[in-house]
Short mmCIF file of all heavy atoms in Angstrom, two decimals:
data_model
loop_
_atom_site.label_atom_id
_atom_site.label_comp_id
_atom_site.label_asym_id
_atom_site.label_seq_id
_atom_site.Cartn_x
_atom_site.Cartn_y
_atom_site.Cartn_z
N MET U 167 22.09 -17.98 8.31
CA MET U 167 21.83 -17.11 7.16
C MET U 167 20.35 -16.86 7.07
O MET U 167 19.54 -17.78 7.04
CB MET U 167 22.35 -17.80 5.89
CG MET U 167 22.13 -16.99 4.67
SD MET U 167 22.91 -17.85 3.29
CE MET U 167 22.65 -16.71 2.02
N GLN U 168 19.98 -15.58 7.02
CA GLN U 168 18.60 -15.21 6.94
C GLN U 168 18.12 -15.16 5.48
O GLN U 168 18.78 -14.55 4.66
CB GLN U 168 18.37 -13.87 7.60
CG GLN U 168 16.94 -13.47 7.68
CD GLN U 168 16.77 -12.13 8.41
OE1 GLN U 168 17.73 -11.45 8.64
NE2 GLN U 168 15.55 -11.77 8.71
N GLN U 169 17.00 -15.76 5.21
CA GLN U 169 16.45 -15.77 3.87
C GLN U 169 15.44 -14.62 3.77
O GLN U 169 14.58 -14.44 4.64
CB GLN U 169 15.76 -17.09 3.59
CG GLN U 169 15.22 -17.23 2.21
CD GLN U 169 14.55 -18.59 1.99
OE1 GLN U 169 14.37 -19.34 2.92
NE2 GLN U 169 14.16 -18.87 0.78
N THR U 170 15.55 -13.86 2.69
CA THR U 170 14.59 -12.78 2.49
C THR U 170 13.44 -13.27 1.66
O THR U 170 13.62 -14.04 0.71
CB THR U 170 15.24 -11.55 1.82
OG1 THR U 170 15.79 -12.00 0.57
CG2 THR U 170 16.33 -10.96 2.66
N ILE U 171 12.26 -12.81 2.01
CA ILE U 171 11.06 -13.21 1.27
C ILE U 171 10.56 -12.00 0.48
O ILE U 171 10.38 -10.92 1.02
CB ILE U 171 9.96 -13.70 2.24
CG1 ILE U 171 10.45 -14.92 3.00
CG2 ILE U 171 8.68 -14.01 1.47
CD1 ILE U 171 9.53 -15.34 4.11
N SER U 172 10.38 -12.18 -0.82
CA SER U 172 9.95 -11.10 -1.65
C SER U 172 8.43 -11.03 -1.63
O SER U 172 7.72 -12.04 -1.78
CB SER U 172 10.43 -11.34 -3.10
OG SER U 172 9.90 -10.33 -3.93
N ASP U 173 7.92 -9.84 -1.46
CA ASP U 173 6.48 -9.63 -1.48
C ASP U 173 6.03 -9.09 -2.85
O ASP U 173 4.95 -8.60 -3.01
CB ASP U 173 6.00 -8.72 -0.39
CG ASP U 173 6.72 -7.37 -0.40
OD1 ASP U 173 7.63 -7.20 -1.25
OD2 ASP U 173 6.33 -6.48 0.37
N GLN U 174 6.92 -9.19 -3.79
CA GLN U 174 6.70 -8.66 -5.13
C GLN U 174 5.88 -9.63 -5.94
O GLN U 174 6.24 -10.78 -6.15
CB GLN U 174 8.05 -8.43 -5.78
CG GLN U 174 8.02 -7.86 -7.16
CD GLN U 174 9.41 -7.58 -7.68
OE1 GLN U 174 10.39 -7.72 -6.98
NE2 GLN U 174 9.47 -7.23 -8.94
N ARG U 175 4.73 -9.15 -6.45
CA ARG U 175 3.85 -10.00 -7.25
C ARG U 175 4.17 -9.89 -8.76
O ARG U 175 4.07 -10.84 -9.49
CB ARG U 175 2.40 -9.60 -7.03
CG ARG U 175 1.41 -10.43 -7.80
CD ARG U 175 0.02 -10.06 -7.45
NE ARG U 175 -0.90 -10.65 -8.39
CZ ARG U 175 -2.12 -10.25 -8.62
NH1 ARG U 175 -2.58 -9.24 -7.91
NH2 ARG U 175 -2.88 -10.79 -9.51
N PHE U 176 4.51 -8.70 -9.19
CA PHE U 176 4.89 -8.44 -10.58
C PHE U 176 6.38 -8.28 -10.71
O PHE U 176 7.06 -7.91 -9.74
CB PHE U 176 4.14 -7.18 -11.07
CG PHE U 176 2.66 -7.24 -10.93
CD1 PHE U 176 2.01 -6.60 -9.89
CD2 PHE U 176 1.89 -7.95 -11.83
CE1 PHE U 176 0.65 -6.67 -9.76
CE2 PHE U 176 0.52 -8.01 -11.71
CZ PHE U 176 -0.11 -7.38 -10.67
N THR U 177 6.92 -8.52 -11.89
CA THR U 177 8.37 -8.46 -12.11
C THR U 177 8.73 -7.27 -12.98
O THR U 177 7.90 -6.76 -13.75
CB THR U 177 8.87 -9.75 -12.78
OG1 THR U 177 8.22 -9.89 -14.05
CG2 THR U 177 8.61 -10.95 -11.90
N GLU U 178 9.98 -6.84 -12.85
CA GLU U 178 10.47 -5.72 -13.68
C GLU U 178 10.44 -6.17 -15.14
O GLU U 178 10.77 -7.29 -15.47
CB GLU U 178 11.90 -5.37 -13.25
CG GLU U 178 11.96 -4.78 -11.91
CD GLU U 178 13.38 -4.46 -11.43
OE1 GLU U 178 14.30 -4.55 -12.26
OE2 GLU U 178 13.52 -4.11 -10.26
N GLY U 179 9.97 -5.26 -15.99
CA GLY U 179 9.83 -5.55 -17.43
C GLY U 179 8.48 -6.11 -17.82
O GLY U 179 8.20 -6.25 -18.99
N GLN U 180 7.66 -6.41 -16.83
CA GLN U 180 6.33 -6.98 -17.10
C GLN U 180 5.37 -5.84 -17.54
O GLN U 180 5.39 -4.76 -17.03
CB GLN U 180 5.77 -7.67 -15.88
CG GLN U 180 4.44 -8.35 -16.11
CD GLN U 180 4.00 -9.13 -14.86
OE1 GLN U 180 4.72 -9.24 -13.88
NE2 GLN U 180 2.80 -9.62 -14.93
N PHE U 181 4.52 -6.17 -18.53
CA PHE U 181 3.51 -5.21 -18.99
C PHE U 181 2.27 -5.32 -18.08
O PHE U 181 1.82 -6.42 -17.74
CB PHE U 181 3.11 -5.48 -20.45
CG PHE U 181 4.22 -5.22 -21.41
CD1 PHE U 181 4.90 -6.24 -22.01
CD2 PHE U 181 4.55 -3.89 -21.72
CE1 PHE U 181 5.93 -5.99 -22.89
CE2 PHE U 181 5.58 -3.63 -22.63
CZ PHE U 181 6.26 -4.68 -23.23
N ILE U 182 1.77 -4.14 -17.72
CA ILE U 182 0.59 -4.06 -16.84
C ILE U 182 -0.30 -2.91 -17.27
O ILE U 182 0.06 -2.15 -18.18
CB ILE U 182 1.05 -3.88 -15.36
CG1 ILE U 182 1.96 -2.66 -15.20
CG2 ILE U 182 1.74 -5.10 -14.82
CD1 ILE U 182 1.30 -1.49 -14.60
N PHE U 183 -1.44 -2.82 -16.65
CA PHE U 183 -2.36 -1.68 -16.79
C PHE U 183 -2.70 -1.13 -15.43
O PHE U 183 -2.79 -1.93 -14.47
CB PHE U 183 -3.68 -2.13 -17.47
CG PHE U 183 -3.52 -2.62 -18.87
CD1 PHE U 183 -3.48 -3.97 -19.15
CD2 PHE U 183 -3.40 -1.75 -19.93
CE1 PHE U 183 -3.30 -4.46 -20.43
CE2 PHE U 183 -3.23 -2.18 -21.22
CZ PHE U 183 -3.20 -3.53 -21.49
N ALA U 184 -2.86 0.16 -15.33
CA ALA U 184 -3.34 0.76 -14.08
C ALA U 184 -4.86 0.71 -14.09
O ALA U 184 -5.48 0.94 -15.11
CB ALA U 184 -2.85 2.22 -13.99
N LYS U 185 -5.41 0.39 -12.97
CA LYS U 185 -6.92 0.32 -12.87
C LYS U 185 -7.54 1.67 -13.18
O LYS U 185 -8.63 1.72 -13.74
CB LYS U 185 -7.33 -0.15 -11.49
CG LYS U 185 -7.07 -1.61 -11.23
CD LYS U 185 -7.53 -2.02 -9.85
CE LYS U 185 -7.25 -3.48 -9.57
NZ LYS U 185 -7.64 -3.86 -8.23
N SER U 186 -6.87 2.74 -12.86
CA SER U 186 -7.39 4.08 -13.10
C SER U 186 -7.37 4.50 -14.60
O SER U 186 -8.10 5.38 -15.01
CB SER U 186 -6.64 5.12 -12.27
OG SER U 186 -5.28 5.12 -12.67
N ASN U 187 -6.52 3.82 -15.39
CA ASN U 187 -6.41 4.13 -16.82
C ASN U 187 -6.09 2.84 -17.58
O ASN U 187 -4.97 2.64 -18.02
CB ASN U 187 -5.30 5.17 -17.05
CG ASN U 187 -5.27 5.65 -18.49
OD1 ASN U 187 -6.13 5.31 -19.28
ND2 ASN U 187 -4.28 6.45 -18.83
N PRO U 188 -7.10 2.00 -17.79
CA PRO U 188 -6.85 0.68 -18.41
C PRO U 188 -6.55 0.74 -19.90
O PRO U 188 -6.19 -0.27 -20.48
CB PRO U 188 -8.16 -0.08 -18.14
CG PRO U 188 -9.18 0.97 -17.93
CD PRO U 188 -8.47 2.15 -17.33
N ASP U 189 -6.63 1.91 -20.50
CA ASP U 189 -6.32 2.05 -21.94
C ASP U 189 -4.82 2.23 -22.21
O ASP U 189 -4.38 2.04 -23.32
CB ASP U 189 -7.08 3.24 -22.54
CG ASP U 189 -8.58 3.01 -22.51
OD1 ASP U 189 -9.01 1.83 -22.56
OD2 ASP U 189 -9.31 4.00 -22.44
N GLN U 190 -4.06 2.59 -21.18
CA GLN U 190 -2.63 2.82 -21.36
C GLN U 190 -1.83 1.64 -20.84
O GLN U 190 -1.84 1.34 -19.66
CB GLN U 190 -2.21 4.11 -20.65
CG GLN U 190 -0.75 4.43 -20.87
CD GLN U 190 -0.33 5.73 -20.21
OE1 GLN U 190 -0.97 6.17 -19.25
NE2 GLN U 190 0.73 6.32 -20.69
N LYS U 191 -1.07 1.02 -21.72
CA LYS U 191 -0.22 -0.10 -21.34
C LYS U 191 1.06 0.45 -20.74
O LYS U 191 1.70 1.35 -21.26
CB LYS U 191 0.10 -0.93 -22.59
CG LYS U 191 0.73 -2.26 -22.26
CD LYS U 191 0.83 -3.07 -23.56
CE LYS U 191 1.11 -4.52 -23.26
NZ LYS U 191 1.17 -5.30 -24.51
N LEU U 192 1.41 -0.10 -19.56
CA LEU U 192 2.62 0.32 -18.84
C LEU U 192 3.59 -0.85 -18.70
O LEU U 192 3.19 -1.99 -18.81
CB LEU U 192 2.23 0.81 -17.43
CG LEU U 192 1.24 1.94 -17.36
CD1 LEU U 192 0.81 2.19 -15.93
CD2 LEU U 192 1.81 3.22 -17.96
N VAL U 193 4.82 -0.54 -18.43
CA VAL U 193 5.83 -1.55 -18.17
C VAL U 193 6.47 -1.21 -16.80
O VAL U 193 6.73 -0.03 -16.48
CB VAL U 193 6.90 -1.62 -19.27
CG1 VAL U 193 7.67 -0.34 -19.41
CG2 VAL U 193 7.82 -2.81 -19.04
N ILE U 194 6.65 -2.21 -15.99
CA ILE U 194 7.27 -2.00 -14.65
C ILE U 194 8.77 -1.79 -14.83
O ILE U 194 9.47 -2.63 -15.38
CB ILE U 194 6.98 -3.20 -13.75
CG1 ILE U 194 5.46 -3.32 -13.51
CG2 ILE U 194 7.74 -3.06 -12.42
CD1 ILE U 194 5.06 -4.53 -12.73
N ARG U 195 9.23 -0.67 -14.34
CA ARG U 195 10.65 -0.34 -14.42
C ARG U 195 11.39 -0.77 -13.16
O ARG U 195 12.51 -1.24 -13.22
CB ARG U 195 10.79 1.16 -14.66
CG ARG U 195 12.19 1.60 -14.96
CD ARG U 195 12.29 3.10 -15.10
NE ARG U 195 12.14 3.78 -13.82
CZ ARG U 195 13.03 3.83 -12.85
NH1 ARG U 195 14.19 3.25 -12.98
NH2 ARG U 195 12.78 4.48 -11.73
N ARG U 196 10.73 -0.60 -12.00
CA ARG U 196 11.41 -0.86 -10.74
C ARG U 196 10.39 -1.13 -9.65
O ARG U 196 9.29 -0.60 -9.67
CB ARG U 196 12.24 0.35 -10.34
CG ARG U 196 13.05 0.15 -9.11
CD ARG U 196 13.96 1.34 -8.92
NE ARG U 196 14.79 1.07 -7.74
CZ ARG U 196 15.21 1.97 -6.89
NH1 ARG U 196 14.93 3.23 -7.12
NH2 ARG U 196 15.95 1.67 -5.86
N TYR U 197 10.77 -1.95 -8.69
CA TYR U 197 9.95 -2.21 -7.51
C TYR U 197 10.77 -1.87 -6.28
O TYR U 197 11.90 -2.37 -6.10
CB TYR U 197 9.55 -3.68 -7.46
CG TYR U 197 8.78 -4.07 -6.24
CD1 TYR U 197 7.42 -3.75 -6.13
CD2 TYR U 197 9.36 -4.78 -5.20
CE1 TYR U 197 6.67 -4.11 -5.01
CE2 TYR U 197 8.61 -5.14 -4.06
CZ TYR U 197 7.30 -4.78 -4.00
OH TYR U 197 6.56 -5.14 -2.87
N TYR U 198 10.25 -0.98 -5.43
CA TYR U 198 10.99 -0.54 -4.26
C TYR U 198 10.03 -0.16 -3.16
O TYR U 198 9.13 0.68 -3.34
CB TYR U 198 11.88 0.67 -4.64
CG TYR U 198 12.71 1.16 -3.51
CD1 TYR U 198 13.79 0.43 -3.03
CD2 TYR U 198 12.48 2.40 -2.94
CE1 TYR U 198 14.55 0.88 -1.97
CE2 TYR U 198 13.27 2.88 -1.88
CZ TYR U 198 14.29 2.09 -1.42
OH TYR U 198 15.07 2.56 -0.40
N LYS U 199 10.18 -0.82 -2.02
CA LYS U 199 9.38 -0.53 -0.82
C LYS U 199 7.86 -0.62 -1.11
O LYS U 199 7.11 0.31 -0.80
CB LYS U 199 9.74 0.78 -0.17
CG LYS U 199 11.13 0.79 0.40
CD LYS U 199 11.38 2.02 1.21
CE LYS U 199 12.73 2.00 1.83
NZ LYS U 199 13.00 3.13 2.68
N ARG U 200 7.46 -1.70 -1.76
CA ARG U 200 6.04 -2.00 -2.07
C ARG U 200 5.40 -1.05 -3.06
O ARG U 200 4.22 -0.95 -3.16
CB ARG U 200 5.22 -2.05 -0.80
CG ARG U 200 5.64 -3.19 0.10
CD ARG U 200 4.71 -3.33 1.23
NE ARG U 200 5.18 -4.43 2.06
CZ ARG U 200 4.44 -5.10 2.85
NH1 ARG U 200 3.18 -4.85 2.97
NH2 ARG U 200 4.91 -6.09 3.58
N ILE U 201 6.23 -0.30 -3.81
CA ILE U 201 5.73 0.57 -4.86
C ILE U 201 6.34 0.15 -6.18
O ILE U 201 7.55 -0.06 -6.28
CB ILE U 201 6.09 2.06 -4.58
CG1 ILE U 201 5.42 2.48 -3.28
CG2 ILE U 201 5.61 2.95 -5.71
CD1 ILE U 201 5.82 3.88 -2.78
N TYR U 202 5.52 0.05 -7.19
CA TYR U 202 5.97 -0.28 -8.54
C TYR U 202 6.11 1.01 -9.31
O TYR U 202 5.14 1.80 -9.39
CB TYR U 202 4.93 -1.20 -9.26
CG TYR U 202 4.83 -2.58 -8.67
CD1 TYR U 202 3.90 -2.82 -7.63
CD2 TYR U 202 5.63 -3.58 -9.13
CE1 TYR U 202 3.81 -4.11 -7.11
CE2 TYR U 202 5.52 -4.88 -8.58
CZ TYR U 202 4.65 -5.13 -7.57
OH TYR U 202 4.53 -6.37 -7.07
N TYR U 203 7.26 1.26 -9.86
CA TYR U 203 7.51 2.44 -10.68
C TYR U 203 7.42 2.01 -12.16
O TYR U 203 8.16 1.17 -12.60
CB TYR U 203 8.90 3.04 -10.35
CG TYR U 203 8.92 3.55 -8.93
CD1 TYR U 203 9.36 2.76 -7.89
CD2 TYR U 203 8.51 4.84 -8.63
CE1 TYR U 203 9.37 3.17 -6.59
CE2 TYR U 203 8.52 5.32 -7.34
CZ TYR U 203 8.94 4.47 -6.31
OH TYR U 203 8.96 4.94 -5.04
N CYS U 204 6.46 2.62 -12.85
CA CYS U 204 6.14 2.18 -14.22
C CYS U 204 6.26 3.36 -15.18
O CYS U 204 6.14 4.51 -14.79
CB CYS U 204 4.71 1.65 -14.27
SG CYS U 204 4.37 0.44 -13.01
N ARG U 205 6.44 3.01 -16.46
CA ARG U 205 6.43 3.98 -17.55
C ARG U 205 5.55 3.46 -18.65
O ARG U 205 5.24 2.26 -18.71
CB ARG U 205 7.84 4.17 -18.11
CG ARG U 205 8.73 4.94 -17.19
CD ARG U 205 9.97 5.32 -17.90
NE ARG U 205 10.81 6.12 -16.98
CZ ARG U 205 12.08 6.30 -17.11
NH1 ARG U 205 12.74 5.78 -18.12
NH2 ARG U 205 12.74 7.04 -16.23
N ALA U 206 5.14 4.37 -19.54
CA ALA U 206 4.33 3.95 -20.70
C ALA U 206 5.15 2.91 -21.48
O ALA U 206 6.37 3.03 -21.62
CB ALA U 206 4.01 5.13 -21.58
N ALA U 207 4.49 1.89 -21.96
CA ALA U 207 5.17 0.75 -22.61
C ALA U 207 5.93 1.17 -23.84
O ALA U 207 6.94 0.59 -24.14
CB ALA U 207 4.14 -0.32 -22.94
N TYR U 208 5.48 2.17 -24.55
CA TYR U 208 6.11 2.56 -25.81
C TYR U 208 6.43 4.03 -25.82
O TYR U 208 5.59 4.88 -26.12
CB TYR U 208 5.21 2.18 -26.98
CG TYR U 208 4.86 0.72 -26.96
CD1 TYR U 208 3.59 0.29 -26.60
CD2 TYR U 208 5.81 -0.26 -27.28
CE1 TYR U 208 3.28 -1.05 -26.54
CE2 TYR U 208 5.50 -1.59 -27.24
CZ TYR U 208 4.24 -1.98 -26.86
OH TYR U 208 3.96 -3.33 -26.82
N GLY U 209 7.67 4.36 -25.45
CA GLY U 209 8.18 5.71 -25.55
C GLY U 209 7.77 6.70 -24.52
O GLY U 209 7.78 7.90 -24.76
N GLY U 210 7.41 6.29 -23.35
CA GLY U 210 6.99 7.23 -22.30
C GLY U 210 8.12 7.60 -21.38
O GLY U 210 8.97 6.80 -21.02
N GLU U 211 8.17 8.84 -20.99
CA GLU U 211 9.17 9.33 -20.04
C GLU U 211 8.56 9.55 -18.66
O GLU U 211 9.29 9.53 -17.68
CB GLU U 211 9.82 10.63 -20.54
CG GLU U 211 10.71 10.42 -21.74
CD GLU U 211 11.92 9.53 -21.44
OE1 GLU U 211 12.54 9.69 -20.34
OE2 GLU U 211 12.26 8.70 -22.29
N LYS U 212 7.25 9.78 -18.60
CA LYS U 212 6.62 10.04 -17.30
C LYS U 212 6.58 8.75 -16.51
O LYS U 212 6.30 7.68 -17.04
CB LYS U 212 5.19 10.56 -17.54
CG LYS U 212 4.50 10.93 -16.25
CD LYS U 212 3.16 11.54 -16.51
CE LYS U 212 2.47 11.84 -15.19
NZ LYS U 212 1.15 12.36 -15.39
N GLU U 213 6.86 8.88 -15.23
CA GLU U 213 6.90 7.73 -14.34
C GLU U 213 5.65 7.72 -13.46
O GLU U 213 5.25 8.76 -12.95
CB GLU U 213 8.14 7.71 -13.50
CG GLU U 213 8.34 6.43 -12.78
CD GLU U 213 9.82 6.14 -12.55
OE1 GLU U 213 10.47 5.66 -13.49
OE2 GLU U 213 10.29 6.42 -11.47
N TYR U 214 5.05 6.53 -13.31
CA TYR U 214 3.86 6.35 -12.51
C TYR U 214 4.15 5.44 -11.34
O TYR U 214 4.44 4.26 -11.53
CB TYR U 214 2.75 5.72 -13.36
CG TYR U 214 2.41 6.49 -14.60
CD1 TYR U 214 3.03 6.20 -15.82
CD2 TYR U 214 1.47 7.49 -14.56
CE1 TYR U 214 2.69 6.90 -16.96
CE2 TYR U 214 1.14 8.22 -15.71
CZ TYR U 214 1.76 7.93 -16.89
OH TYR U 214 1.44 8.64 -18.02
N PRO U 215 4.10 5.95 -10.09
CA PRO U 215 4.25 5.09 -8.93
C PRO U 215 2.90 4.46 -8.61
O PRO U 215 1.90 5.17 -8.42
CB PRO U 215 4.72 6.05 -7.85
CG PRO U 215 4.19 7.37 -8.25
CD PRO U 215 4.08 7.35 -9.76
N LEU U 216 2.87 3.14 -8.53
CA LEU U 216 1.60 2.45 -8.30
C LEU U 216 1.78 1.40 -7.19
O LEU U 216 2.82 0.73 -7.11
CB LEU U 216 1.11 1.75 -9.55
CG LEU U 216 0.83 2.63 -10.76
CD1 LEU U 216 0.63 1.78 -12.01
CD2 LEU U 216 -0.37 3.50 -10.52
N PHE U 217 0.75 1.23 -6.41
CA PHE U 217 0.69 0.13 -5.45
C PHE U 217 0.14 -1.12 -6.15
O PHE U 217 -0.51 -0.99 -7.16
CB PHE U 217 -0.18 0.47 -4.22
CG PHE U 217 0.42 1.52 -3.35
CD1 PHE U 217 -0.07 2.81 -3.36
CD2 PHE U 217 1.48 1.24 -2.50
CE1 PHE U 217 0.44 3.78 -2.52
CE2 PHE U 217 2.03 2.21 -1.67
CZ PHE U 217 1.50 3.47 -1.69
N GLU U 218 0.41 -2.25 -5.60
CA GLU U 218 -0.07 -3.53 -6.20
C GLU U 218 -1.57 -3.56 -6.39
O GLU U 218 -2.07 -4.06 -7.39
CB GLU U 218 0.36 -4.69 -5.32
CG GLU U 218 0.04 -6.04 -5.92
CD GLU U 218 0.54 -7.18 -5.06
OE1 GLU U 218 1.74 -7.14 -4.67
OE2 GLU U 218 -0.23 -8.06 -4.76
N SER U 219 -2.32 -2.95 -5.50
CA SER U 219 -3.77 -2.92 -5.56
C SER U 219 -4.29 -2.07 -6.73
O SER U 219 -5.45 -2.17 -7.09
CB SER U 219 -4.38 -2.43 -4.25
OG SER U 219 -3.97 -1.12 -4.02
N GLU U 220 -3.43 -1.23 -7.29
CA GLU U 220 -3.83 -0.36 -8.43
C GLU U 220 -3.46 -0.95 -9.78
O GLU U 220 -3.64 -0.27 -10.79
CB GLU U 220 -3.11 0.98 -8.28
CG GLU U 220 -3.46 1.71 -6.98
CD GLU U 220 -2.63 2.96 -6.79
OE1 GLU U 220 -1.40 2.86 -6.74
OE2 GLU U 220 -3.23 4.05 -6.73
N ILE U 221 -2.94 -2.18 -9.82
CA ILE U 221 -2.39 -2.75 -11.03
C ILE U 221 -3.19 -3.96 -11.48
O ILE U 221 -3.64 -4.78 -10.68
CB ILE U 221 -0.93 -3.18 -10.81
CG1 ILE U 221 -0.05 -1.97 -10.53
CG2 ILE U 221 -0.41 -3.97 -12.01
CD1 ILE U 221 1.35 -2.32 -10.17
N VAL U 222 -3.36 -4.05 -12.81
CA VAL U 222 -3.97 -5.24 -13.44
C VAL U 222 -2.91 -5.78 -14.44
O VAL U 222 -2.39 -5.01 -15.23
CB VAL U 222 -5.24 -4.88 -14.21
CG1 VAL U 222 -5.84 -6.10 -14.90
CG2 VAL U 222 -6.26 -4.26 -13.26
N ALA U 223 -2.67 -7.07 -14.39
CA ALA U 223 -1.67 -7.67 -15.29
C ALA U 223 -2.20 -7.68 -16.71
O ALA U 223 -3.39 -7.93 -16.95
CB ALA U 223 -1.36 -9.11 -14.83
N ALA U 224 -1.32 -7.42 -17.68
CA ALA U 224 -1.66 -7.52 -19.08
C ALA U 224 -1.67 -8.97 -19.48
O ALA U 224 -0.88 -9.75 -19.01
CB ALA U 224 -0.66 -6.72 -19.91
N ILE U 225 -2.62 -9.32 -20.34
CA ILE U 225 -2.77 -10.72 -20.77
C ILE U 225 -1.99 -10.95 -22.04
O ILE U 225 -1.87 -10.15 -22.88
CB ILE U 225 -4.24 -11.06 -20.98
CG1 ILE U 225 -4.97 -10.94 -19.64
CG2 ILE U 225 -4.36 -12.48 -21.52
CD1 ILE U 225 -6.46 -11.10 -19.72
#
């Protein structure tokens, strides 16, 4: 049985900030093929695809 290793650093539902716009709080909706798909934390419909290097974890 082959074990899969996740390269995912952040989890779905986690609050984050994009380095390019640190004033807007985002939530991770999905992780697929090394891309995090995020939306605004409160009432956003626009989706932001971000790489791990573009993300800062919310404290």
Side-chain angles (χ1 to χ4, degrees):
M167 180 175 183
Q168 185 178 11
Q169 183 180 8
T170 58
I171 299 172
S172 176
D173 57 353
Q174 182 177 352
R175 181 175 167 201
F176 303 101
T177 59
E178 293 177 7
Q180 183 176 354
F181 292 106
I182 54 104
F183 295 100
K185 288 181 180 178
S186 61
N187 187 7
D189 295 331
Q190 183 178 23
K191 194 173 194 178
L192 303 172
V193 63
I194 296 174
R195 190 183 68 75
R196 184 173 183 213
Y197 177 76
Y198 182 69
K199 293 190 177 182
R200 297 188 180 203
I201 299 174
Y202 292 91
Y203 294 92
C204 310
R205 288 191 178 161
Y208 304 105
E211 289 297 319
K212 185 175 179 183
E213 191 150 280
Y214 303 93
L216 300 169
F217 291 106
E218 186 176 309
S219 62
E220 301 173 300
I221 296 174
V222 177
I225 298 174

